Amino acid sequence: MRRVYFDHNATTPLAREVLESMTPYLTEEFGNASSIHSVGQRARAGVENARAQVAALLGARDKEIIFTSGGTEADNMAIRGVVGASERPRKHIVTSAIEHHAVLNTCQALEAEGVAVTYVGVGRAGLVDPEDVRRALTPDTVLITIMHANNELGTLQPIAEIARIARERKIPFHTDAVQSAGKIPLNVAELGCDLLSLSAHKLYGPKGVGALFIRRNLRLQPLMFGGHHERDRRPGTENVAGIVGLGAAAELARAHLAEEAKRLAELRDSLERRLLSAIPHCGLNGDPARRTPNTTNLHFDFIEGEPLVIALDLKGVAVSTGAACSSGAVEPSHVLTAIGLPPERARSSLRFSLGRASTPADVDYVCEVLPAVVEHLRSLSPLYTKPIPAPAR
Ligand code: PLP
């Protein structure tokens, strides 16, 4: 059976070049990067080379990159770090309703500790209006955190405009760029953000490693306490092989960014166009233009996303729903409900996220199997009545 992996927003395979860069650090170059002997110093050189590679992907200075255990830790470090460093008696955060749970649940945890949070809504396209961010600010606002690309829709937020508002008010601005890093060009000077999170496993690097860009001179309280690693910002013996892998992944992404983005957008558009024309009662969720090149999110009315994912898996196709299964009940995705989809349409939605190994033949295969899978599942649905074909003339 053919296998098609269209779930690159969940995770990506490790690139061969990345594995090759990591292997020496898992074998002979096993040193502790803090040791002063040459074994340690070779590990240190690997870490510092990776820091320069990640900085180059973002247009940042090397010293502005701190390695973490992934996107979740980078988001936590940014949010808790800025809030914890603020000496204001009352603190307020502005974020959006469509953030990843790494941001949403950190904000919710802070709310339980007495921090006020405003969750700015989005329109049908899934875009935050910068003026809504401006209106949400209060004299107590200590942080704005708005994601760059949404993981479910791919929608790209107007980060530079929001950054301008943050700068006018001298409020630190964090963006979660886990879903845009490596997919589209990123430059922290152009984006204007003060903090930016990324994660290696979304860009063909290893799982369990990420980075936080922290603009020079920004005050941040550390999440953890221990040794003096990472300029006192993140203690713990460095995950040298993982960090080296992130660096190699960043360099690889940077080398092929423009042509790969174009290739993926063409493939994604072809997939989307063909599915929309072949399947009745099917539509696009989110903005058709302002999004990452690899992502499309479609609803298939009258069916549930979960059985659709399972039926496609049986045909060798990996895709995902944005829904979360909590205590046995499938909750519709908070992102899809935030853009105004009714719960049943949100539950009928699938995310297709293409990647480096995706080919036109993969798109052909999905376009071949999906219409029949949808038709079959709909035939089992009591709510579905087949559209009446137009009379022959
Ligand atoms: N932020 C976004 C937008 C994500 O999509 C993800 C992962 O799905 C994360 C944060 C968390 O990253 P990690 O899996 O490295 O903890």
Side-chain angles (χ1 to χ4, degrees), residues 259-303:
E259 76 259 26
E260 183 60 0
K262 184 167 174 290
R263 188 187 76 86
L264 282 177
E266 281 167 12
L267 273 186
R268 185 270 318 268
D269 290 347
S270 149
L271 172 74
E272 188 175 283
R273 214 174 24 247
R274 289 167 65 183
L275 292 179
L276 288 172
S277 73
I279 302 175
H281 306 295
C282 162
L284 174 68
N285 300 326
D287 194 272
R290 291 190 61 142
R291 55 180 165 157
T292 44
N294 76 319
T295 308
T296 182
N297 192 309
L298 305 174
H299 58 261
F300 302 90
D301 287 347
F302 307 109
I303 36 184

Side-chain angles (χ1 to χ4, degrees), residues 70-72 75 100 102 147 151 176 178-179 199 201-202:
T72 300
D75 286 343
H100 188 270
M147 73 197 318
N151 41 304
D176 173 340
V178 167
Q179 290 291 347
S199 175
H201 76 101
K202 308 287 187 182

Side-chain angles (χ1 to χ4, degrees), residues 38-69:
S38 53
V39 182
Q41 288 313 295
R42 287 197 298 275
R44 166 62 50 206
V47 169
E48 296 313 316
N49 183 49
R51 203 183 307 280
Q53 289 168 315
V54 173
L57 181 70
L58 304 178
R61 297 182 185 86
D62 298 5
K63 286 180 180 166
E64 293 173 316
I65 304 299
I66 296 297
F67 293 113
T68 66
S69 65

